[in-house]
Amino acid sequence: MRSSKQLRHRFRMTLPALLLVLLVAPAHAQQTDQTKLIAERNRIEQELQQVAVVDRKVMVPMRDGTRMAADIYRPRNAKGKVPVIFSRTPYNFNFWDVKLGAPRDMKMALETVKRGYALVEMNERGHFFSEGHYEILGAPVTDGSDAIRWMASQPWANGKVGTTGCSSTAEWQLAVAAEGDPEFTTFNVMGFGAGVGKVGPYYEQGNWFRGGAMQMLFLAWLYGEQNQVRPMFPADTSQADLIKASRLFDLAPQMPPVDWDKAFWHLPVNDIMRSVDAPAGMAANAMPIPTGGNMIARAPNDPAWSRGGLWNDTMQVNKPGLWFVSWYDVSVSPNLAAYNHVRATATKAVADQQYLMISPSLHCRFTRDGEDTMIGDLSVGDARFDYESLIYGWFDHFLKGEDNGLLKKQPKVMYYAMGENRWKQSETWPPKGAVQRTLYLSSEGKANTLYGDGKLADVADASDRPDSFLYDPSNPVPTYGGGGCCQGNAVKFGAYDQRAHETRNDILVYDTAAFTEDVEVSGPIGVTLYVSSDAKDTDFTFKVIDVHPDGKAYNITENIQRMRYRDGYDKPLAWMAPGQVYKVTFQPIDTSNVFKVGHKLRVAISSSNFPRFDRNLNTGGNNYDEAKGVVARNMIHHDAAYPSQVTLTIVPGGGKLANVSVGR
């Protein structure tokens, strides 16, 4: 047996060694993983060089002489001319991963070339190697037309161009499609809400607004995108030198990290960018761009919005379209309204060539849905779908002219019904045969918190017993889940159990009775409230929630309305007078959720959802340039004279299941 002195000596000797193992082992594993990654990237690049003609850092001139940087990949042994798949983006697609010291992931280029297409990747004006000043969506719109015409005219091109991409790589497509260039053959838009300006009742102006309230995401997003002062190479730099330089400088800004969970609280809002030491740019500064910049000072109907790259419903789209939307994205209903508008206004042949997919995903996560797809803390089952086959099959039909039967096999609309967790199909959105059901808010005047007496009933109350709460802008209801993106560490998007938040006294809660049969709610949800306030202006918010038998309450969708815009965004501002009751109808918001037997539908009402939306300071001032707010006492009225209500779109019989091979 060893003496205690020997044991102590051994312990002193082995503890540093143990610590060294603990530190070195992860580093060694990380190094091994990186070595494998580099080897795989090099393998893909080598294969790409074998099968493709690679032409990088091509500077494509626009009509004003400004040049956009493009990388081009086309089949090396093509028999004849080839169609083009075009991806235009504000993001970094540099072929060399400067930090890794290896090629970037070139799987998309390799797959596209193998399928017989040329892939053209191009940066928007004012980003990376592209010249000029950056404007959201790559304005002017003529840049898109010029780029498409240029690539269609190349000696290796067959004259047909199709576009694809998600988020900012999709949002510019509709406005350019409306230009009507014959070379622009078809489009595939995914998560494209920030490209929609105005459509029907929606004045979101590219997701800048919701119900007249500002969506705070753009401050975080523009922090890294709006930079107007950036390094550029001289105009006479050769293509060969640009390619060499790309291995040294990808021109991606390395922005200092920002704690957005704190930064969003700063007032006034128009000073947030300065408070985080952001570069000057379009968010809060006048800029030499088509819209003039200073976005934060614009109202929803400001003419500046129409001078950029946004599409609106005065612009006819007559191109076949493949549309991807998701339930927990930052914008759903304007996307669906755009789809329906194009189907209603295009020529009959083109209207019949509009196809829609609605997944349950978060922003641009379509292809990452899995066998057990999690949206926040909620499992929505197996939401997988073979998007790649659908997209290439689409392009095969429209760009190559292949008679592959895709348009006959693919339903016009495929949507994922949460709760039942199944893909379903329809010829329209909402599904044909859907009916409206209206439920009325009811209480004894004490609907505050989930422990209150709020109910959703089939008939309105006989007399008004209004519910009231105090809305304090310095203590807003925090955003917890929902649809959105791009807000750094400030928000977790998706579906989460809302009960902890629903103990707040400034949240009114109204529940149905437990459902005795499965009920599919698929389509727009409309909410009309009769409200009063002692403030000149305030906001009202709602969430629609699926309450499970165990009490867990998962948010499905949400909305907000700024009262000054309740009469319309192109009407005079409508202020409130103390004690007067006003009717406010929210913009419809879409979803698809099957409320199973034993579940309840809950509507939670308040006056804030921060930092998803900016706080109304309740003063009636500009809001964006104010540093102090006032507390508002807000009331919800509900009786025969004031029938506050929620209207659901219900699909009798649960709709038609879709035939999905992937994941089933």
Side-chain angles (χ1 to χ4, degrees), residues 163-165 170 173-174 185-192 319-325 339 342 350 353-357 385-395 398 406-407 410-412 414:
T163 56
T164 191
Q173 294 181 35
L174 289 180
T185 307
T186 185
F187 60 87
N188 168 220
V189 287
M190 316 178 207
F192 57 95
K319 306 289 181 182
L322 182 59
W323 310 62
F324 293 171
V325 179
Y339 170 78
V342 171
V350 175
Q353 295 171 335
Q354 307 301 320
Y355 287 74
L356 172 67
M357 296 282 301
F385 186 83
D386 190 354
Y387 293 99
E388 184 175 279
S389 292
L390 175 59
I391 293 168
Y392 282 113
W394 181 271
F395 287 139
F398 286 104
L406 177 73
L407 302 191
Q410 182 70 17
K412 284 289 194 301
M414 285 186 63

Side-chain angles (χ1 to χ4, degrees), residues 470 532-537 576-579 618 630-635:
L470 294 178
S532 60
S533 177
D534 61 3
K536 185 178 180 181
D537 185 49
M576 305 177 75
N618 299 327
V630 297
V631 177
R633 177 173 290 278
N634 293 338
M635 304 184 76

Side-chain angles (χ1 to χ4, degrees), residues 5-18:
K5 183 176 180 181
Q6 288 175 312
L7 289 172
R8 286 196 301 272
H9 176 72
R10 187 180 184 201
F11 182 76
R12 286 196 300 269
M13 293 296 290
T14 57
L15 182 59
L18 177 61

Side-chain angles (χ1 to χ4, degrees), residues 255-364:
M255 306 300 295
V258 171
D259 183 354
W260 288 105
D261 193 36
K262 293 180 179 178
F264 282 134
W265 285 86
H266 182 88
L267 291 174
V269 173
N270 67 350
D271 198 38
I272 288 177
M273 295 298 244
R274 187 202 59 80
S275 74
V276 298
D277 199 26
M282 66 189 70
N285 304 102
M287 298 301 297
I289 53 179
T291 63
N294 201 18
M295 299 169 72
I296 209 162
R298 299 182 206 162
N301 66 342
D302 193 308
W305 296 111
S306 65
R307 295 196 291 267
L310 291 171
W311 173 85
N312 64 68
D313 57 13
T314 67
M315 303 159 67
Q316 188 176 38
V317 173
N318 251 319
K319 306 289 181 182
L322 182 59
W323 310 62
F324 293 171
V325 179
S326 52
W327 292 132
Y328 284 89
D329 203 347
V330 65
S331 178
V332 176
S333 294
N335 291 17
L336 297 175
Y339 170 78
N340 283 334
H341 179 81
V342 171
R343 287 190 74 179
T345 58
T347 62
K348 176 64 168 61
V350 175
D352 288 341
Q353 295 171 335
Q354 307 301 320
Y355 287 74
L356 172 67
M357 296 282 301
I358 316 173
S359 86
S361 312
L362 294 166
H363 182 65
C364 287

Side-chain angles (χ1 to χ4, degrees), residues 328-551:
Y328 284 89
D329 203 347
V330 65
S331 178
V332 176
S333 294
N335 291 17
L336 297 175
Y339 170 78
N340 283 334
H341 179 81
V342 171
R343 287 190 74 179
T345 58
T347 62
K348 176 64 168 61
V350 175
D352 288 341
Q353 295 171 335
Q354 307 301 320
Y355 287 74
L356 172 67
M357 296 282 301
I358 316 173
S359 86
S361 312
L362 294 166
H363 182 65
C364 287
R365 293 186 63 88
F366 309 97
T367 59
R368 284 173 277 183
D369 291 343
E371 190 173 358
D372 182 22
T373 300
M374 297 298 296
I375 308 296
D377 281 345
L378 178 67
S379 171
V380 295
D382 187 348
R384 290 177 293 173
F385 186 83
D386 190 354
Y387 293 99
E388 184 175 279
S389 292
L390 175 59
I391 293 168
Y392 282 113
W394 181 271
F395 287 139
D396 288 346
H397 176 78
F398 286 104
L399 300 184
K400 292 182 179 179
E402 292 185 5
D403 185 13
N404 55 14
L406 177 73
L407 302 191
K408 294 180 180 179
K409 292 182 292 186
Q410 182 70 17
K412 284 289 194 301
V413 177
M414 285 186 63
Y415 65 97
Y416 198 82
M418 300 177 292
E420 188 174 345
N421 298 341
R422 298 291 297 270
W423 281 103
K424 296 191 173 184
Q425 67 182 59
S426 174
E427 283 298 300
T428 62
W429 184 261
K432 286 184 177 179
V435 297
Q436 303 290 303
R437 180 183 177 187
T438 298
L439 301 172
Y440 298 90
L441 277 60
S442 174
S443 79
E444 295 295 323
K446 297 178 180 178
N448 309 72
T449 82
L450 79 167
Y451 305 113
D453 62 5
K455 297 181 178 65
L456 291 171
D458 288 323
V459 296
D461 287 338
S463 58
D464 186 22
R465 292 179 290 273
D467 297 301
S468 67
F469 60 92
L470 294 178
Y471 161 47
D472 183 354
S474 68
N475 183 29
V477 174
T479 301
Y480 189 50
C485 80
C486 319
Q487 288 193 236
N489 64 331
V491 180
K492 292 197 306 181
F493 290 111
Y496 297 94
D497 186 354
Q498 301 292 306
R499 287 177 296 177
H501 290 266
E502 291 168 350
T503 60
R504 291 177 58 117
N505 206 54
D506 55 356
I507 298 179
L508 307 177
V509 176
Y510 303 87
D511 285 357
T512 65
F515 289 101
T516 57
E517 60 181 13
D518 292 355
V519 176
E520 180 180 327
V521 176
S522 289
I525 296 175
V527 173
T528 295
L529 301 178
Y530 290 83
V531 304
S532 60
S533 177
D534 61 3
K536 185 178 180 181
D537 185 49
T538 193
D539 291 347
F540 286 94
T541 65
F542 73 79
K543 289 184 181 180
V544 178
I545 295 163
D546 186 346
V547 183
H548 293 217
D550 62 2

Side-chain angles (χ1 to χ4, degrees), residues 236-252:
D236 60 354
T237 305
S238 69
Q239 181 182 7
D241 283 343
L242 289 176
I243 292 172
K244 290 179 181 178
S246 298
R247 292 176 176 268
L248 308 175
F249 315 103
D250 62 6
L251 303 187

